[in-house]
Amino acid sequence: MMMKSKQLIDGNLDRNRGIPEISLAQKEYLQNCKRERRFIRSWQWIIMILFLGFWEVGARTGFINAFVFSSPSRVLDTVVSMAKDGSLWYHTGITLAETFLSFFLILLLGIGIAVLLWWNTRLSGILEPYLVMLNSLPKSALAPVFIVWLGANMKTIIVAAVSVAVFGTVLTLYHSFSETEEDKLKLIITLGGGKKDILKKVILPGNIPTVVSLMKVNLGLALVGVIIGEFLAAKAGLGYLIIYASQVFKLDIVISSIFLLCVISVLLYHAIAKLEKR
Amino acid sequence: MSFLEISDLNYSYHTKAGETKALSGIDFNVRKGEFLSIVGPSGCGKSTLLNIIAGLLPLREGSITMEGMPIKDHRDKIGYMLQKDHLLPWRTTEENILLGLEINKIQTKEKLLLAEHLLKQYGLYEFRKVKPAELSGGMKQRAALIRTLVMEPELLLLDEPFSALDYQTRLSVADDIYEILKKEGKTAILITHDIAEAISLSERIIVLTRRPGRIKKEIEVSLTMEDGKKPSKPSEGRSAREFAVYYQKIWKELMNHDDEI
């Protein structure tokens, strides 16, 4: 009570001096926000510590089979030794390189095809049902076919990854292109422009936000596609490591690779989020 | 020979549901330097008429000539102002204004100087490096007009260019734009459903009927102020002696359509 009344007086004083003061209610609101944030943060940590703790203790006491489930300390050991012998960088590097390559191909093909469809409404009319079908088809079903056609190599992995995301990208972009305000198109025509000018001055610059949000989705999808590809047709990469190690029952390596994938996806997500802010 | 001659213009829209006649037997002339308004109930084909003159819709029946030549040879002499400013949000004011020059690849020294002059003249020069989001509604509309004017059109088509603005801004932007057009000596056709706006701005008003739009009446407008002079700007003209008379007259013409049905 004492505290409160003092603050109140202070607040009044501030007002008298003409200094922009923060009202008590505002202070309370800000404190509430802070408290809420702290609550959420602490529970995030608690969940992680409990999860890792039970896992570790369970593995050590034999409550769960450490050979099958591995354990946090074993994963840590594995990651450290993989970092030392260089295999960690090699496999992670391969997976990342494949992901980036697929990502840029998806972006390039996606924008290119979407522009083509926008340009030629007849073509888009003809192709629409095929695109819708290809978009909803589970692309992992295609991966074995790619192996037969392209061989068990990086080509298959890239094609698999591209196929996962490219159709969705084309459809989303094409619809976004088509939804451009009619009057904006009219504006360009009344200024003496044609379809090319509409594309260059209105459609492409106006759709940069759509492209960025697609990039966010596609980086994740490219990683999914690359791992599917590596499961089936690779001699290196984290996906290969997971399959290989599971087949020889080295679950430590499997879990470690999955852990590395978690780290990669978080880092990629933050990279794009940063790009979006700019 | 008038500056713009439109004769026997008909136009129909085709949809799967059938054919809709939008304009029927439109016939009128526009003098050089004149400010002409076209009013009519919504859906009467005013916009269609403007779009045909601008070449956005094909001319199928009838003829439109400008200085004796078919209108399609004069596409580059027609400026069009839309309801909203449609400034591109990712471009600065200046880049927006130069859009037409950029598209036509005519960024000559003279044109760039003209753009600079217009920006200065109409109070946008200080805002040339600013994105449209930072401009007021009136400034945006002025910027949109300058974007049209740097193309040096001889005929300006105004498609309810004030309707997206709030009332106060509307009056002052109408004053601004009227002044700019008069100063630059442009011929203008305004379509609107705001009777007061039409009276205060124009020298002549054409009233269209309901769809299919036909010319119902042509009214010459001449306003005098208390002191016997012409109003110096459109907003002033709203308090002219004859204003209410014109208003009643046009209102009656518009209302009469309901009786016909």
Side-chain angles (χ1 to χ4, degrees):
Chain A
M1 249 335 260
M2 281 288 283
M3 255 291 279
K4 261 193 180 163
S5 57
K6 192 177 179 304
Q7 274 178 340
L8 227 105
I9 292 165
D10 283 348
N12 283 337
L13 276 177
D14 282 347
R15 190 177 303 147
N16 291 339
R17 284 188 208 123
I19 298 165
E21 35 100 36
I22 298 171
S23 75
L24 203 61
Q26 174 69 8
K27 249 182 218 163
E28 229 163 67
Y29 168 78
L30 288 177
Q31 252 158 17
N32 261 337
C33 288
K34 216 181 204 174
R35 209 174 302 137
E36 191 64 24
R37 215 163 39 228
R38 223 179 286 147
F39 178 81
I40 286 174
R41 255 302 127 78
S42 8
W43 272 102
Q44 287 170 340
W45 280 105
I46 290 169
I47 288 174
M48 190 170 88
I49 291 165
L50 281 181
F51 173 71
L52 291 177
F54 275 118
W55 188 7
E56 184 67 41
V57 171
R60 286 192 186 223
T61 55
F63 182 68
I64 55 173
N65 187 345
F67 179 67
V68 179
F69 288 98
S70 189
S71 77
S73 57
R74 281 166 157 230
V75 168
L76 193 69
D77 286 343
T78 314
V79 171
V80 169
S81 73
M82 275 169 74
K84 271 183 191 152
D85 68 20
S87 59
L88 181 135
W89 315 115
Y90 174 64
H91 291 291
T92 312
I94 295 251
T95 298
L96 271 179
E98 286 166 346
T99 305
F100 281 126
L101 185 58
S102 320
F103 171 72
F104 286 115
L105 278 174
I106 291 163
L107 213 59
L108 224 67
L109 280 171
I111 295 174
I113 297 172
V115 166
L116 218 69
L117 292 178
W118 174 82
W119 192 277
N120 193 332
T121 38
R122 264 193 179 158
L123 185 70
S124 65
I126 294 167
L127 291 185
E128 179 130 36
Y130 296 104
L131 279 170
V132 169
M133 179 192 71
L134 285 169
N135 185 40
S136 34
L137 180 79
K139 259 65 72 175
S140 43
L142 294 176
V145 184
F146 292 146
I147 298 179
V148 175
W149 288 347
L150 303 166
N153 51 39
M154 204 189 263
K155 247 190 289 175
T156 296
I157 296 165
I158 303 293
V159 171
V162 169
S163 74
V164 168
V166 77
F167 303 111
T169 304
V170 168
L171 283 175
T172 311
L173 263 183
Y174 169 64
H175 283 136
S176 177
F177 285 0
S178 317
E179 274 162 18
T180 307
E181 226 177 331
E182 190 99 11
D183 271 358
K184 288 245 160 43
L185 316 184
K186 202 164 151 183
L187 167 75
I188 299 292
I189 297 170
T190 58
L191 288 172
K195 211 160 183 175
K196 209 167 106 194
D197 300 296
I198 292 175
L199 182 70
K200 274 199 321 211
K201 309 286 183 207
V202 175
I203 303 275
L204 290 180
N207 277 286
I208 289 173
T210 317
V211 171
V212 173
S213 79
L214 275 172
M215 281 166 76
K216 221 160 152 185
V217 178
N218 284 343
L219 201 50
L221 283 179
L223 188 58
V224 170
V226 163
I227 297 298
I228 293 174
E230 284 181 350
F231 277 179
L232 296 163
K235 292 171 191 70
L238 291 174
Y240 158 79
L241 213 56
I242 291 171
I243 286 292
Y244 167 77
S246 73
Q247 278 165 355
V248 295
F249 264 80
K250 286 188 177 162
L251 270 299
D252 292 343
I253 294 182
V254 175
I255 306 281
S256 300
S257 307
I258 293 172
F259 167 72
L260 288 172
L261 278 176
C262 288
V263 173
I264 289 177
S265 17
V266 169
L267 290 181
L268 289 181
Y269 178 85
H270 281 291
I272 294 271
K274 220 170 216 171
L275 188 87
E276 198 176 23
K277 263 190 201 142
R278 271 204 301 161
Chain B
M1 184 184 74
S2 289
F3 176 66
L4 187 76
E5 293 183 356
I6 296 177
S7 56
D8 213 17
L9 184 73
N10 295 301
Y11 194 84
S12 301
Y13 284 108
H14 297 272
T15 60
K16 278 180 199 154
E19 187 175 345
T20 316
K21 217 159 169 30
L23 292 169
S24 167
I26 300 291
D27 219 278
F28 66 92
N29 296 339
V30 188
R31 299 182 288 264
K32 192 158 179 74
E34 185 181 22
F35 199 116
L36 173 82
S37 287
I38 299 173
V39 298
S42 40
C44 72
K46 317 188 274 288
S47 295
T48 308
L49 178 56
L50 219 56
N51 284 336
I52 296 171
I53 299 173
L56 294 168
L57 290 173
L59 174 66
R60 294 210 190 95
E61 269 178 68
S63 86
I64 306 178
T65 59
M66 189 167 157
E67 294 178 318
M69 302 278 284
I71 192 83
K72 66 175 195 305
D73 299 341
H74 286 296
R75 281 286 301 274
D76 55 331
K77 289 185 189 159
I78 301 174
Y80 198 109
M81 232 180 128
L82 300 152
Q83 273 182 32
K84 290 193 222 145
D85 54 79
H86 289 294
L87 298 170
L88 301 175
W90 53 87
R91 286 171 165 250
T92 62
T93 309
E94 192 173 42
E95 287 167 344
N96 265 297
I97 283 166
L98 299 178
L99 185 64
L101 302 182
E102 217 176 286
I103 287 170
N104 292 287
K105 300 194 175 63
I106 44 168
Q107 290 138 301
T108 56
K109 213 176 234 169
E110 298 93 71
K111 291 276 187 187
L112 292 175
L113 274 173
L114 173 68
E116 198 187 309
H117 166 77
L118 288 169
L119 277 170
K120 276 183 185 152
Q121 180 103 32
Y122 303 118
L124 285 169
Y125 190 68
E126 281 146 61
F127 300 92
R128 67 192 187 282
K129 299 285 180 212
V130 150
K131 298 272 164 73
E134 291 175 52
L135 299 179
S136 71
M139 286 160 112
K140 282 187 209 167
Q141 211 58 359
R142 274 203 312 260
L145 179 63
I146 296 177
R147 179 179 59 198
T148 313
L149 288 178
V150 286
M151 302 297 290
E152 298 183 279
E154 281 171 35
L155 172 66
L156 259 137
L157 306 173
L158 309 169
D159 184 358
E160 304 199 37
F162 314 117
S163 61
L165 303 167
D166 63 80
Y167 191 69
Q168 257 180 344
T169 316
R170 212 172 155 151
L171 291 186
S172 68
V173 172
D175 278 354
D176 282 355
I177 288 185
Y178 180 81
E179 195 198 321
I180 296 171
L181 292 181
K182 282 293 151 197
K183 201 181 256 171
E184 310 287 335
K186 306 292 182 198
T187 311
I189 302 177
L190 167 78
I191 60 171
T192 180
H193 51 242
D194 184 333
I195 301 172
E197 192 173 280
I199 300 168
S200 64
L201 282 161
S202 9
E203 283 138 53
R204 192 154 51 106
I205 297 172
I206 288 178
V207 183
L208 289 187
T209 64
R210 283 183 171 229
R211 183 183 292 157
R214 274 171 284 114
I215 294 183
K216 178 97 196 260
K217 191 106 186 170
E218 272 190 54
I219 300 164
E220 295 277 346
V221 181
S222 146
L223 300 173
T224 23
M225 301 303 292
E226 287 294 330
D227 55 10
K229 285 184 189 153
K230 293 220 162 286
S232 63
K233 51 186 179 184
S235 59
E236 214 180 279
R238 288 179 185 240
S239 52
R241 272 180 279 168
E242 305 90 336
F243 195 83
V245 181
Y246 283 123
Y247 197 98
Q248 284 304 323
K249 201 167 165 185
I250 295 168
W251 176 250
K252 242 165 63 195
E253 291 296 342
L254 286 172
M255 279 299 121
N256 267 343
H257 303 313
D258 290 325
D259 308 336
E260 283 172 15
I261 297 167

